[in-house]
Amino acid sequence: SSLPPSCKLIVFSRPESFIVRRLNDNGVCNHHVLPSGENVTDEASTDIRTFLEAGFGKIARDHKIKELPWPKEEEIDQLVGYATGLFIFAATIIKYVGGVNGDPEDRLHDVLENMKHWNSSSEAFDPIRALYAQILINTYGSLKTDNERESMYLVLAFLVFQRKTLRRDDLV
């Protein structure tokens, strides 16, 4: 289908080859690179810091955390470093740490420890994947009934098996 010329679509993504090829096929896309990873700008890191500080401030108020400042500045520094310009990382941290089923202080501590562990044990450390893995493991561990665990298995199975097989050049 075609969209009216006044319609604008914004896609935020890693530069996955199949996405780039698809967007380049029709020739109507304008690419704007938002530096991340090793190329992240100071401005992006400052924006992520501001986002994290505001999110943690709300969590501290909502959960009546007494020992302030929380988190400590060096913990925010670590998270900003792990985010490498990716707001999805910062947003996921805030949602997970501030979630209803868990202690925010414990969750933040666990996230930071997990990141340190993966960062020191792997040259191919990917903070967002390590974070998602931790959330899945912790979520599974908190399920109380076989029915809840089975439901989680079904959702994960759907997510895994609904994908098409990747071709070799998609992996390059």
Side-chain angles (χ1 to χ4, degrees), residues 101 135-154 156:
N101 294 328
I135 291 170
L136 284 172
I137 290 166
N138 289 353
T139 299
Y140 184 80
S142 70
L143 300 176
K144 294 178 176 65
T145 67
D146 288 341
N147 193 29
E148 288 176 334
R149 285 185 283 280
E150 183 178 343
S151 295
M152 183 174 174
Y153 275 137
L154 290 173
L156 292 174

mmCIF file of all heavy atoms in Angstrom, residues 101 135-154 156:
data_model
loop_
_atom_site.group_PDB
_atom_site.id
_atom_site.type_symbol
_atom_site.label_atom_id
_atom_site.label_comp_id
_atom_site.label_asym_id
_atom_site.label_seq_id
_atom_site.Cartn_x
_atom_site.Cartn_y
_atom_site.Cartn_z
ATOM 1 N N ASN A 101 6.775 -5.883 40.786
ATOM 2 C CA ASN A 101 7.132 -7.100 41.525
ATOM 3 C C ASN A 101 8.628 -7.164 41.801
ATOM 4 O O ASN A 101 9.350 -7.926 41.189
ATOM 5 C CB ASN A 101 6.705 -8.350 40.743
ATOM 6 C CG ASN A 101 5.217 -8.465 40.614
ATOM 7 O OD1 ASN A 101 4.486 -8.043 41.500
ATOM 8 N ND2 ASN A 101 4.753 -9.009 39.522
ATOM 9 N N ILE A 135 16.391 -9.974 32.536
ATOM 10 C CA ILE A 135 14.963 -9.758 32.794
ATOM 11 C C ILE A 135 14.189 -11.050 32.569
ATOM 12 O O ILE A 135 13.329 -11.419 33.376
ATOM 13 C CB ILE A 135 14.424 -8.604 31.927
ATOM 14 C CG1 ILE A 135 15.026 -7.280 32.406
ATOM 15 C CG2 ILE A 135 12.903 -8.562 31.961
ATOM 16 C CD1 ILE A 135 14.767 -6.099 31.492
ATOM 17 N N LEU A 136 14.490 -11.766 31.482
ATOM 18 C CA LEU A 136 13.798 -13.033 31.228
ATOM 19 C C LEU A 136 14.064 -14.052 32.328
ATOM 20 O O LEU A 136 13.149 -14.729 32.803
ATOM 21 C CB LEU A 136 14.207 -13.602 29.873
ATOM 22 C CG LEU A 136 13.599 -12.924 28.655
ATOM 23 C CD1 LEU A 136 14.233 -13.459 27.380
ATOM 24 C CD2 LEU A 136 12.094 -13.126 28.623
ATOM 25 N N ILE A 137 15.307 -14.169 32.738
ATOM 26 C CA ILE A 137 15.657 -15.126 33.792
ATOM 27 C C ILE A 137 14.966 -14.759 35.102
ATOM 28 O O ILE A 137 14.381 -15.619 35.771
ATOM 29 C CB ILE A 137 17.190 -15.206 33.964
ATOM 30 C CG1 ILE A 137 17.809 -15.893 32.749
ATOM 31 C CG2 ILE A 137 17.570 -15.929 35.257
ATOM 32 C CD1 ILE A 137 19.310 -15.731 32.643
ATOM 33 N N ASN A 138 15.006 -13.496 35.472
ATOM 34 C CA ASN A 138 14.362 -13.067 36.718
ATOM 35 C C ASN A 138 12.849 -13.210 36.652
ATOM 36 O O ASN A 138 12.217 -13.568 37.633
ATOM 37 C CB ASN A 138 14.749 -11.638 37.066
ATOM 38 C CG ASN A 138 16.190 -11.518 37.508
ATOM 39 O OD1 ASN A 138 16.888 -12.513 37.681
ATOM 40 N ND2 ASN A 138 16.658 -10.305 37.673
ATOM 41 N N THR A 139 12.278 -12.933 35.489
ATOM 42 C CA THR A 139 10.830 -13.074 35.329
ATOM 43 C C THR A 139 10.431 -14.532 35.484
ATOM 44 O O THR A 139 9.489 -14.858 36.210
ATOM 45 C CB THR A 139 10.382 -12.533 33.962
ATOM 46 O OG1 THR A 139 10.715 -11.144 33.891
ATOM 47 C CG2 THR A 139 8.887 -12.704 33.767
ATOM 48 N N TYR A 140 11.153 -15.414 34.825
ATOM 49 C CA TYR A 140 10.848 -16.840 34.926
ATOM 50 C C TYR A 140 10.959 -17.305 36.378
ATOM 51 O O TYR A 140 10.107 -18.036 36.873
ATOM 52 C CB TYR A 140 11.768 -17.665 34.026
ATOM 53 C CG TYR A 140 11.415 -19.127 34.052
ATOM 54 C CD1 TYR A 140 10.364 -19.611 33.301
ATOM 55 C CD2 TYR A 140 12.117 -20.020 34.861
ATOM 56 C CE1 TYR A 140 10.015 -20.942 33.328
ATOM 57 C CE2 TYR A 140 11.777 -21.359 34.894
ATOM 58 C CZ TYR A 140 10.724 -21.812 34.130
ATOM 59 O OH TYR A 140 10.375 -23.137 34.184
ATOM 60 N N GLY A 141 12.002 -16.865 37.056
ATOM 61 C CA GLY A 141 12.200 -17.254 38.449
ATOM 62 C C GLY A 141 11.112 -16.759 39.382
ATOM 63 O O GLY A 141 10.866 -17.339 40.441
ATOM 64 N N SER A 142 10.426 -15.685 38.995
ATOM 65 C CA SER A 142 9.382 -15.129 39.871
ATOM 66 C C SER A 142 7.999 -15.708 39.596
ATOM 67 O O SER A 142 7.062 -15.427 40.339
ATOM 68 C CB SER A 142 9.338 -13.601 39.718
ATOM 69 O OG SER A 142 8.819 -13.260 38.444
ATOM 70 N N LEU A 143 7.863 -16.531 38.551
ATOM 71 C CA LEU A 143 6.565 -17.126 38.250
ATOM 72 C C LEU A 143 6.232 -18.170 39.307
ATOM 73 O O LEU A 143 7.087 -18.957 39.691
ATOM 74 C CB LEU A 143 6.572 -17.731 36.845
ATOM 75 C CG LEU A 143 6.847 -16.735 35.720
ATOM 76 C CD1 LEU A 143 6.932 -17.454 34.379
ATOM 77 C CD2 LEU A 143 5.797 -15.647 35.677
ATOM 78 N N LYS A 144 4.976 -18.159 39.734
ATOM 79 C CA LYS A 144 4.602 -18.987 40.878
ATOM 80 C C LYS A 144 3.920 -20.305 40.511
ATOM 81 O O LYS A 144 3.958 -21.252 41.265
ATOM 82 C CB LYS A 144 3.694 -18.180 41.803
ATOM 83 C CG LYS A 144 4.413 -17.002 42.441
ATOM 84 C CD LYS A 144 3.469 -16.199 43.326
ATOM 85 C CE LYS A 144 4.159 -15.095 44.036
ATOM 86 N NZ LYS A 144 4.709 -14.048 43.216
ATOM 87 N N THR A 145 3.283 -20.345 39.351
ATOM 88 C CA THR A 145 2.532 -21.556 39.014
ATOM 89 C C THR A 145 3.036 -22.153 37.703
ATOM 90 O O THR A 145 3.653 -21.470 36.881
ATOM 91 C CB THR A 145 1.021 -21.249 38.854
ATOM 92 O OG1 THR A 145 0.842 -20.421 37.694
ATOM 93 C CG2 THR A 145 0.456 -20.566 40.097
ATOM 94 N N ASP A 146 2.723 -23.430 37.519
ATOM 95 C CA ASP A 146 3.068 -24.093 36.255
ATOM 96 C C ASP A 146 2.362 -23.415 35.092
ATOM 97 O O ASP A 146 2.912 -23.315 33.999
ATOM 98 C CB ASP A 146 2.686 -25.569 36.301
ATOM 99 C CG ASP A 146 3.606 -26.374 37.203
ATOM 100 O OD1 ASP A 146 4.724 -25.898 37.496
ATOM 101 O OD2 ASP A 146 3.205 -27.483 37.608
ATOM 102 N N ASN A 147 1.149 -22.935 35.314
ATOM 103 C CA ASN A 147 0.391 -22.261 34.256
ATOM 104 C C ASN A 147 1.101 -20.977 33.810
ATOM 105 O O ASN A 147 1.185 -20.691 32.612
ATOM 106 C CB ASN A 147 -1.025 -21.952 34.758
ATOM 107 C CG ASN A 147 -1.946 -21.543 33.634
ATOM 108 O OD1 ASN A 147 -1.764 -21.962 32.489
ATOM 109 N ND2 ASN A 147 -2.919 -20.718 33.954
ATOM 110 N N GLU A 148 1.618 -20.207 34.763
ATOM 111 C CA GLU A 148 2.367 -18.989 34.421
ATOM 112 C C GLU A 148 3.629 -19.334 33.634
ATOM 113 O O GLU A 148 3.952 -18.676 32.643
ATOM 114 C CB GLU A 148 2.745 -18.210 35.683
ATOM 115 C CG GLU A 148 1.594 -17.531 36.363
ATOM 116 C CD GLU A 148 2.000 -16.844 37.665
ATOM 117 O OE1 GLU A 148 2.998 -17.290 38.290
ATOM 118 O OE2 GLU A 148 1.338 -15.873 38.036
ATOM 119 N N ARG A 149 4.352 -20.360 34.085
ATOM 120 C CA ARG A 149 5.582 -20.763 33.390
ATOM 121 C C ARG A 149 5.265 -21.258 31.975
ATOM 122 O O ARG A 149 5.964 -20.935 31.022
ATOM 123 C CB ARG A 149 6.332 -21.816 34.196
ATOM 124 C CG ARG A 149 7.062 -21.220 35.414
ATOM 125 C CD ARG A 149 7.902 -22.249 36.129
ATOM 126 N NE ARG A 149 7.114 -23.136 36.957
ATOM 127 C CZ ARG A 149 6.658 -22.837 38.181
ATOM 128 N NH1 ARG A 149 6.937 -21.675 38.714
ATOM 129 N NH2 ARG A 149 5.949 -23.707 38.869
ATOM 130 N N GLU A 150 4.193 -22.035 31.836
ATOM 131 C CA GLU A 150 3.809 -22.528 30.517
ATOM 132 C C GLU A 150 3.428 -21.368 29.594
ATOM 133 O O GLU A 150 3.801 -21.348 28.419
ATOM 134 C CB GLU A 150 2.644 -23.512 30.626
ATOM 135 C CG GLU A 150 2.254 -24.103 29.290
ATOM 136 C CD GLU A 150 1.127 -25.125 29.405
ATOM 137 O OE1 GLU A 150 0.864 -25.622 30.511
ATOM 138 O OE2 GLU A 150 0.531 -25.413 28.360
ATOM 139 N N SER A 151 2.727 -20.381 30.138
ATOM 140 C CA SER A 151 2.366 -19.212 29.333
ATOM 141 C C SER A 151 3.609 -18.471 28.855
ATOM 142 O O SER A 151 3.687 -18.039 27.697
ATOM 143 C CB SER A 151 1.482 -18.253 30.135
ATOM 144 O OG SER A 151 0.249 -18.857 30.426
ATOM 145 N N MET A 152 4.600 -18.348 29.715
ATOM 146 C CA MET A 152 5.835 -17.685 29.324
ATOM 147 C C MET A 152 6.542 -18.489 28.237
ATOM 148 O O MET A 152 7.044 -17.927 27.264
ATOM 149 C CB MET A 152 6.759 -17.471 30.518
ATOM 150 C CG MET A 152 8.022 -16.713 30.161
ATOM 151 S SD MET A 152 8.985 -16.333 31.634
ATOM 152 C CE MET A 152 10.444 -15.627 30.870
ATOM 153 N N TYR A 153 6.587 -19.803 28.390
ATOM 154 C CA TYR A 153 7.198 -20.658 27.369
ATOM 155 C C TYR A 153 6.504 -20.460 26.012
ATOM 156 O O TYR A 153 7.158 -20.381 24.974
ATOM 157 C CB TYR A 153 7.106 -22.137 27.748
ATOM 158 C CG TYR A 153 8.203 -22.629 28.647
ATOM 159 C CD1 TYR A 153 7.907 -23.466 29.711
ATOM 160 C CD2 TYR A 153 9.532 -22.284 28.428
ATOM 161 C CE1 TYR A 153 8.910 -23.939 30.544
ATOM 162 C CE2 TYR A 153 10.536 -22.755 29.255
ATOM 163 C CZ TYR A 153 10.216 -23.578 30.310
ATOM 164 O OH TYR A 153 11.209 -24.044 31.125
ATOM 165 N N LEU A 154 5.183 -20.389 26.018
ATOM 166 C CA LEU A 154 4.443 -20.231 24.769
ATOM 167 C C LEU A 154 4.770 -18.896 24.098
ATOM 168 O O LEU A 154 4.955 -18.825 22.883
ATOM 169 C CB LEU A 154 2.938 -20.358 25.020
ATOM 170 C CG LEU A 154 2.446 -21.754 25.374
ATOM 171 C CD1 LEU A 154 0.973 -21.724 25.764
ATOM 172 C CD2 LEU A 154 2.680 -22.715 24.223
ATOM 173 N N LEU A 156 7.534 -17.075 24.505
ATOM 174 C CA LEU A 156 8.914 -17.136 24.027
ATOM 175 C C LEU A 156 9.031 -18.032 22.793
ATOM 176 O O LEU A 156 9.754 -17.694 21.848
ATOM 177 C CB LEU A 156 9.851 -17.617 25.133
ATOM 178 C CG LEU A 156 10.039 -16.647 26.296
ATOM 179 C CD1 LEU A 156 10.880 -17.290 27.392
ATOM 180 C CD2 LEU A 156 10.651 -15.346 25.832
#
